[in-house]
């Protein structure tokens, strides 16, 4: 029996909807539209969504309950961070000290913790900052700590995603930014 967390993780990886940039641009107007489209009195009516693809799973059984464009390829964006966080938590004791060894860390871009070269963190604090701030620089520090490089860590991510059943996923970095 599949664990509910792995089912959720696989669904999240496969069904990532929109880039964080697109979400930010449409957030306010779409919230109103989504709230207006939900009708708990008519559960037979399919929900309206702004997402390009969606999957709804039963957390207890892993059964797919509903999907829209389930096989559509989408950029995983920040949902990549869920898998990065999981792998980091599995590989690193919470109290371990993690040091940034990347001299180009400031060039990672977009959302960050403004990590500096040689800066050290307690693993649990780094993980919290990574997930709560969606900090791309922290993702690089995590990947390099766990596997020595983002490329090796991406291999670990792809292996783990495949084990979780997300066989159509492909990761190239720990943070989900578009890869040139």
């Amino acid at each position: 029996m599949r664990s509910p967390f792995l089912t959720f993780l696989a669904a999240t990886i496969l069904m990532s909807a929109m880039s964080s940039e697109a979400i930010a641009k449409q957030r306010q107007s779409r919230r109103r539209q989504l709230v207006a489209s939900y009708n708990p009195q008519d559960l037979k009516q399919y929900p309206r969504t702004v997402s390009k693809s969606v999957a709804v799973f039963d957390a207890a059984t892993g059964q797919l309950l509903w999907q829209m464009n389930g096989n559509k390829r989408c950029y995983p964006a920040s949902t990549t961070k869920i898998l990065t966080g999981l792998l980091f938590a599995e590989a690193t004791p919470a109290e371990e000290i993690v040091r940034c060894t990347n001299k180009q860390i400031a060039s990672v871009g977009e959302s960050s913790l403004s990590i500096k070269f040689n800066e050290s963190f307690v693993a649990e604090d780094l993980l919290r900052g990574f997930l709560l701030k969606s900090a791309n620089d922290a993702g690089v520090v995590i990947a390099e700590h766990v596997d020595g490089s983002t490329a090796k860590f991406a291999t670990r991510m792809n292996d783990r995603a495949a084990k979780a059943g997300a066989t159509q996923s492909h990761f190239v970095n720990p943070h989900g930014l578009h890869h040139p």
Side-chain angles (χ1 to χ4, degrees):
M1 179 172 194
R2 255 189 257 170
S3 88
F5 177 76
L6 289 179
T7 301
F8 167 75
L9 181 63
T12 302
I13 292 166
L14 288 171
M15 304 302 162
S16 173
M18 300 174 70
S19 73
S20 57
E21 213 172 274
I23 289 171
K25 289 178 183 176
Q26 299 176 4
R27 183 174 290 150
Q28 195 117 42
S29 64
R30 295 299 188 182
R31 274 191 190 149
R32 285 188 213 110
Q33 181 182 6
L34 288 172
V35 170
S37 73
Y38 176 69
N39 180 359
Q41 304 304 316
D42 186 8
L43 296 178
K44 292 180 182 177
Q45 178 183 347
Y46 291 122
R48 287 185 294 164
T49 178
V50 297
S51 300
K52 294 176 184 174
S53 61
V54 177
V56 178
F57 289 87
D58 181 314
T61 65
Q63 178 184 0
L64 176 65
L65 300 174
W66 179 75
Q67 64 95 17
M68 178 184 79
N69 297 325
N71 293 316
K72 180 176 180 59
R73 285 198 173 269
C74 301
Y75 287 108
S78 287
T79 58
T80 301
K81 291 176 176 79
I82 296 168
L83 183 55
T84 297
L86 173 68
L87 294 174
F88 182 55
E90 290 176 344
T92 310
E95 67 282 352
E96 187 167 309
I97 301 300
V98 178
R99 188 170 58 88
C100 174
T101 58
N102 187 318
K103 291 181 180 178
Q104 277 73 48
I105 196 67
S107 67
V108 174
E110 295 191 30
S111 182
S112 78
L113 294 177
S114 300
I115 296 173
K116 308 288 185 252
F117 173 67
N118 268 336
E119 189 171 357
S120 295
F121 301 86
V122 174
E124 183 176 8
D125 294 339
L126 181 62
L127 180 59
R128 281 192 177 129
F130 172 63
L131 293 173
L132 295 175
K133 177 81 169 143
S134 193
N136 300 317
D137 55 354
V140 171
V141 172
I142 286 169
E144 291 178 350
H145 178 76
V146 172
D147 280 319
S149 73
T150 57
K152 288 181 184 175
F153 190 78
T155 298
R156 179 188 296 255
M157 294 173 75
N158 289 316
D159 291 346
R160 182 56 181 271
K163 286 180 186 171
T167 57
Q168 297 299 309
S169 296
H170 181 71
F171 298 96
V172 295
N173 61 49
H175 42 64
L177 291 175
H178 290 289
H179 186 67

